[in-house]
Amino acid sequence: MESNELPIIKFLHRPQLVRPRPIHLKFSWRLLKLRVDLYMDGGGIDSDGREFKNAQEMWREEVGEADPLKKSQWYSQGVGYWQGVEATMDGVMGGYANINEADIVASEAFLNTILSERFPNAGRGLNLVALDCGSGIGRISKNLLIKYFNEVDLLEPVAHFLDAARINLAPESLIVTEEHRAVNFFDVPLQEFTPVAERYDVIWVQWCIGHLSDDDFVSFFKRATVGLKRGGLFVLKENVARSGFVLDKEDKSVTRSHLYFKQLFKQCGLNIYRMKDQKGFPNGLFPVKMYALTGESSLRVGMPRSAKKLPNRPGII
């Protein structure tokens, strides 16, 4: 490990035998305190160590200004990276399949809080529907969403991941009743997807939004808002940079800071209803935050829809 006094930025504990380096498990950068102070929250770095004054400078270089060809190349390279990764738990998690349990446990606790406040009748005749964005091989759908939602749709642009998800979520592969099932498997990238109006109670977006440029980030959430039922929510679970942003040149993704996310949420017309930090991940990984987002006015954010709080339990196992 490099000395803290060296004025350079290095990976922490890079594994030598693991090739995949997914957006959600890429190693955290060692940002020296001096450099963090200088960056404030507008600047950032890329995986080659280059510094940017602000996000606009980085995006101009990466996707151009009103340059469809350059932006198309950005997305093609990102998908191309994942097309070279095995459709296995270890593959999609970059060799860190062992943190799956900690991830699911934290997500389930967060989801239960939301469901008990927003949908107190879940599991009691209320039909709930979720969309799993960047679903990969169906890891989150199978281990979490299918337990709480009657119908789950999956959105994933990498074809062999989606093929694996179909197998993993086949009825014979599940331990839930027939009232809970995976319905649609969309082979479409986030930046091109428009949901059916008012279909979803929860749209779950985990470890994939970093592949979208800022303008496509905003466009996606504005389009996807139409797909939420009344009272529905987004859940965004994502890596968070200490400040500014970190650009990965290899898989064409950006890890944004909390302040960066908040600025984008405002452009999307979204407010933070609930927020929680992921716990239990190994040292050396980016911090991870969970955001529950709503288009409701900020005056209502954080207030449960019903004063009657009931524990939400998946009555299907």
mmCIF file of all heavy atoms in Angstrom, residues 100-124:
data_model
loop_
_atom_site.group_PDB
_atom_site.id
_atom_site.type_symbol
_atom_site.label_atom_id
_atom_site.label_comp_id
_atom_site.label_asym_id
_atom_site.label_seq_id
_atom_site.Cartn_x
_atom_site.Cartn_y
_atom_site.Cartn_z
ATOM 1 N N ASN A 100 -23.125 -10.664 -0.838
ATOM 2 C CA ASN A 100 -24.524 -10.713 -1.238
ATOM 3 C C ASN A 100 -25.454 -10.684 -0.030
ATOM 4 O O ASN A 100 -26.448 -9.953 -0.010
ATOM 5 C CB ASN A 100 -24.787 -11.965 -2.074
ATOM 6 C CG ASN A 100 -26.259 -12.145 -2.396
ATOM 7 O OD1 ASN A 100 -26.855 -11.366 -3.130
ATOM 8 N ND2 ASN A 100 -26.868 -13.181 -1.817
ATOM 9 N N GLU A 101 -25.146 -11.475 0.983
ATOM 10 C CA GLU A 101 -26.033 -11.550 2.146
ATOM 11 C C GLU A 101 -26.147 -10.206 2.851
ATOM 12 O O GLU A 101 -27.249 -9.757 3.187
ATOM 13 C CB GLU A 101 -25.542 -12.614 3.130
ATOM 14 C CG GLU A 101 -26.466 -12.774 4.332
ATOM 15 C CD GLU A 101 -26.037 -13.889 5.267
ATOM 16 O OE1 GLU A 101 -25.027 -14.563 4.968
ATOM 17 O OE2 GLU A 101 -26.707 -14.078 6.301
ATOM 18 N N ALA A 102 -25.021 -9.541 3.085
ATOM 19 C CA ALA A 102 -25.058 -8.234 3.748
ATOM 20 C C ALA A 102 -25.845 -7.226 2.924
ATOM 21 O O ALA A 102 -26.591 -6.399 3.468
ATOM 22 C CB ALA A 102 -23.641 -7.726 3.990
ATOM 23 N N ASP A 103 -25.698 -7.290 1.612
ATOM 24 C CA ASP A 103 -26.422 -6.389 0.726
ATOM 25 C C ASP A 103 -27.927 -6.625 0.827
ATOM 26 O O ASP A 103 -28.714 -5.684 1.008
ATOM 27 C CB ASP A 103 -25.948 -6.595 -0.719
ATOM 28 C CG ASP A 103 -26.785 -5.824 -1.713
ATOM 29 O OD1 ASP A 103 -26.913 -4.600 -1.543
ATOM 30 O OD2 ASP A 103 -27.316 -6.443 -2.653
ATOM 31 N N ILE A 104 -28.333 -7.884 0.731
ATOM 32 C CA ILE A 104 -29.759 -8.207 0.758
ATOM 33 C C ILE A 104 -30.372 -7.902 2.118
ATOM 34 O O ILE A 104 -31.488 -7.360 2.210
ATOM 35 C CB ILE A 104 -29.987 -9.688 0.384
ATOM 36 C CG1 ILE A 104 -29.555 -9.937 -1.073
ATOM 37 C CG2 ILE A 104 -31.455 -10.077 0.581
ATOM 38 C CD1 ILE A 104 -30.335 -9.157 -2.114
ATOM 39 N N VAL A 105 -29.676 -8.223 3.197
ATOM 40 C CA VAL A 105 -30.200 -7.966 4.547
ATOM 41 C C VAL A 105 -30.462 -6.473 4.743
ATOM 42 O O VAL A 105 -31.516 -6.062 5.250
ATOM 43 C CB VAL A 105 -29.231 -8.497 5.624
ATOM 44 C CG1 VAL A 105 -29.599 -7.957 6.999
ATOM 45 C CG2 VAL A 105 -29.248 -10.017 5.652
ATOM 46 N N ALA A 106 -29.514 -5.625 4.351
ATOM 47 C CA ALA A 106 -29.688 -4.181 4.500
ATOM 48 C C ALA A 106 -30.817 -3.668 3.610
ATOM 49 O O ALA A 106 -31.624 -2.828 4.032
ATOM 50 C CB ALA A 106 -28.382 -3.462 4.177
ATOM 51 N N SER A 107 -30.871 -4.169 2.381
ATOM 52 C CA SER A 107 -31.931 -3.740 1.462
ATOM 53 C C SER A 107 -33.300 -4.164 1.967
ATOM 54 O O SER A 107 -34.277 -3.416 1.851
ATOM 55 C CB SER A 107 -31.684 -4.330 0.071
ATOM 56 O OG SER A 107 -30.525 -3.789 -0.519
ATOM 57 N N GLU A 108 -33.377 -5.349 2.542
ATOM 58 C CA GLU A 108 -34.663 -5.840 3.040
ATOM 59 C C GLU A 108 -35.155 -4.991 4.210
ATOM 60 O O GLU A 108 -36.346 -4.668 4.293
ATOM 61 C CB GLU A 108 -34.545 -7.305 3.461
ATOM 62 C CG GLU A 108 -35.872 -7.927 3.860
ATOM 63 C CD GLU A 108 -35.818 -9.441 3.916
ATOM 64 O OE1 GLU A 108 -34.719 -9.998 4.039
ATOM 65 O OE2 GLU A 108 -36.900 -10.066 3.820
ATOM 66 N N ALA A 109 -34.247 -4.627 5.114
ATOM 67 C CA ALA A 109 -34.636 -3.770 6.231
ATOM 68 C C ALA A 109 -35.128 -2.415 5.721
ATOM 69 O O ALA A 109 -36.133 -1.871 6.216
ATOM 70 C CB ALA A 109 -33.460 -3.593 7.182
ATOM 71 N N PHE A 110 -34.440 -1.869 4.748
ATOM 72 C CA PHE A 110 -34.830 -0.582 4.170
ATOM 73 C C PHE A 110 -36.188 -0.697 3.488
ATOM 74 O O PHE A 110 -37.067 0.149 3.670
ATOM 75 C CB PHE A 110 -33.755 -0.138 3.182
ATOM 76 C CG PHE A 110 -33.893 1.274 2.692
ATOM 77 C CD1 PHE A 110 -33.743 2.344 3.557
ATOM 78 C CD2 PHE A 110 -34.143 1.547 1.354
ATOM 79 C CE1 PHE A 110 -33.847 3.663 3.108
ATOM 80 C CE2 PHE A 110 -34.244 2.847 0.886
ATOM 81 C CZ PHE A 110 -34.104 3.914 1.770
ATOM 82 N N LEU A 111 -36.373 -1.761 2.708
ATOM 83 C CA LEU A 111 -37.636 -1.976 2.001
ATOM 84 C C LEU A 111 -38.783 -2.163 2.978
ATOM 85 O O LEU A 111 -39.882 -1.637 2.775
ATOM 86 C CB LEU A 111 -37.517 -3.191 1.079
ATOM 87 C CG LEU A 111 -38.766 -3.570 0.279
ATOM 88 C CD1 LEU A 111 -39.178 -2.437 -0.656
ATOM 89 C CD2 LEU A 111 -38.519 -4.853 -0.514
ATOM 90 N N ASN A 112 -38.559 -2.904 4.050
ATOM 91 C CA ASN A 112 -39.612 -3.123 5.037
ATOM 92 C C ASN A 112 -40.079 -1.821 5.666
ATOM 93 O O ASN A 112 -41.280 -1.631 5.915
ATOM 94 C CB ASN A 112 -39.122 -4.086 6.124
ATOM 95 C CG ASN A 112 -39.607 -5.504 5.881
ATOM 96 O OD1 ASN A 112 -40.791 -5.730 5.666
ATOM 97 N ND2 ASN A 112 -38.692 -6.448 5.899
ATOM 98 N N THR A 113 -39.140 -0.919 5.929
ATOM 99 C CA THR A 113 -39.511 0.383 6.480
ATOM 100 C C THR A 113 -40.433 1.120 5.528
ATOM 101 O O THR A 113 -41.466 1.681 5.925
ATOM 102 C CB THR A 113 -38.254 1.228 6.753
ATOM 103 O OG1 THR A 113 -37.448 0.578 7.730
ATOM 104 C CG2 THR A 113 -38.631 2.617 7.249
ATOM 105 N N ILE A 114 -40.072 1.104 4.249
ATOM 106 C CA ILE A 114 -40.872 1.804 3.243
ATOM 107 C C ILE A 114 -42.250 1.170 3.103
ATOM 108 O O ILE A 114 -43.273 1.854 3.094
ATOM 109 C CB ILE A 114 -40.136 1.785 1.888
ATOM 110 C CG1 ILE A 114 -38.836 2.576 1.989
ATOM 111 C CG2 ILE A 114 -41.021 2.357 0.788
ATOM 112 C CD1 ILE A 114 -37.916 2.335 0.818
ATOM 113 N N LEU A 115 -42.284 -0.143 3.007
ATOM 114 C CA LEU A 115 -43.561 -0.827 2.787
ATOM 115 C C LEU A 115 -44.504 -0.665 3.971
ATOM 116 O O LEU A 115 -45.718 -0.488 3.795
ATOM 117 C CB LEU A 115 -43.325 -2.304 2.502
ATOM 118 C CG LEU A 115 -42.612 -2.641 1.184
ATOM 119 C CD1 LEU A 115 -42.475 -4.150 1.017
ATOM 120 C CD2 LEU A 115 -43.344 -2.047 -0.015
ATOM 121 N N SER A 116 -43.967 -0.724 5.178
ATOM 122 C CA SER A 116 -44.832 -0.601 6.354
ATOM 123 C C SER A 116 -45.432 0.795 6.458
ATOM 124 O O SER A 116 -46.550 0.964 6.954
ATOM 125 C CB SER A 116 -44.045 -0.932 7.632
ATOM 126 O OG SER A 116 -42.992 -0.016 7.837
ATOM 127 N N GLU A 117 -44.707 1.801 5.967
ATOM 128 C CA GLU A 117 -45.214 3.167 6.002
ATOM 129 C C GLU A 117 -46.112 3.491 4.822
ATOM 130 O O GLU A 117 -47.165 4.128 4.974
ATOM 131 C CB GLU A 117 -44.044 4.153 6.024
ATOM 132 C CG GLU A 117 -43.228 4.112 7.298
ATOM 133 C CD GLU A 117 -42.047 5.061 7.261
ATOM 134 O OE1 GLU A 117 -41.756 5.629 6.181
ATOM 135 O OE2 GLU A 117 -41.411 5.227 8.313
ATOM 136 N N ARG A 118 -45.707 3.064 3.654
ATOM 137 C CA ARG A 118 -46.418 3.464 2.435
ATOM 138 C C ARG A 118 -47.501 2.477 2.017
ATOM 139 O O ARG A 118 -48.494 2.852 1.413
ATOM 140 C CB ARG A 118 -45.415 3.622 1.281
ATOM 141 C CG ARG A 118 -44.243 4.548 1.590
ATOM 142 C CD ARG A 118 -44.629 5.993 1.546
ATOM 143 N NE ARG A 118 -44.917 6.454 0.195
ATOM 144 C CZ ARG A 118 -45.014 7.733 -0.160
ATOM 145 N NH1 ARG A 118 -44.838 8.665 0.765
ATOM 146 N NH2 ARG A 118 -45.283 8.079 -1.397
ATOM 147 N N PHE A 119 -47.283 1.211 2.305
ATOM 148 C CA PHE A 119 -48.227 0.172 1.886
ATOM 149 C C PHE A 119 -48.531 -0.752 3.065
ATOM 150 O O PHE A 119 -48.151 -1.915 3.072
ATOM 151 C CB PHE A 119 -47.654 -0.636 0.725
ATOM 152 C CG PHE A 119 -47.187 0.205 -0.430
ATOM 153 C CD1 PHE A 119 -45.837 0.486 -0.598
ATOM 154 C CD2 PHE A 119 -48.088 0.739 -1.331
ATOM 155 C CE1 PHE A 119 -45.393 1.270 -1.658
ATOM 156 C CE2 PHE A 119 -47.661 1.525 -2.397
ATOM 157 C CZ PHE A 119 -46.310 1.802 -2.563
ATOM 158 N N PRO A 120 -49.219 -0.256 4.101
ATOM 159 C CA PRO A 120 -49.445 -1.061 5.299
ATOM 160 C C PRO A 120 -50.280 -2.304 5.058
ATOM 161 O O PRO A 120 -50.266 -3.223 5.878
ATOM 162 C CB PRO A 120 -50.146 -0.086 6.252
ATOM 163 C CG PRO A 120 -50.743 0.964 5.364
ATOM 164 C CD PRO A 120 -49.792 1.104 4.212
ATOM 165 N N ASN A 121 -51.002 -2.356 3.936
ATOM 166 C CA ASN A 121 -51.817 -3.536 3.638
ATOM 167 C C ASN A 121 -51.118 -4.542 2.731
ATOM 168 O O ASN A 121 -51.742 -5.479 2.235
ATOM 169 C CB ASN A 121 -53.137 -3.104 2.987
ATOM 170 C CG ASN A 121 -54.014 -2.327 3.950
ATOM 171 O OD1 ASN A 121 -54.106 -2.675 5.130
ATOM 172 N ND2 ASN A 121 -54.640 -1.266 3.468
ATOM 173 N N ALA A 122 -49.810 -4.353 2.510
ATOM 174 C CA ALA A 122 -49.060 -5.309 1.684
ATOM 175 C C ALA A 122 -49.145 -6.689 2.312
ATOM 176 O O ALA A 122 -49.000 -6.862 3.516
ATOM 177 C CB ALA A 122 -47.606 -4.881 1.588
ATOM 178 N N GLY A 123 -49.386 -7.698 1.465
ATOM 179 C CA GLY A 123 -49.526 -9.061 1.956
ATOM 180 C C GLY A 123 -50.923 -9.371 2.441
ATOM 181 O O GLY A 123 -51.204 -10.479 2.896
ATOM 182 N N ARG A 124 -51.821 -8.395 2.335
ATOM 183 C CA ARG A 124 -53.201 -8.573 2.788
ATOM 184 C C ARG A 124 -54.182 -8.229 1.672
ATOM 185 O O ARG A 124 -55.139 -7.504 1.872
ATOM 186 C CB ARG A 124 -53.460 -7.718 4.028
ATOM 187 C CG ARG A 124 -52.557 -8.068 5.205
ATOM 188 C CD ARG A 124 -52.712 -7.060 6.345
ATOM 189 N NE ARG A 124 -51.848 -7.392 7.459
ATOM 190 C CZ ARG A 124 -50.573 -7.078 7.557
ATOM 191 N NH1 ARG A 124 -49.989 -6.435 6.557
ATOM 192 N NH2 ARG A 124 -49.868 -7.405 8.617
#
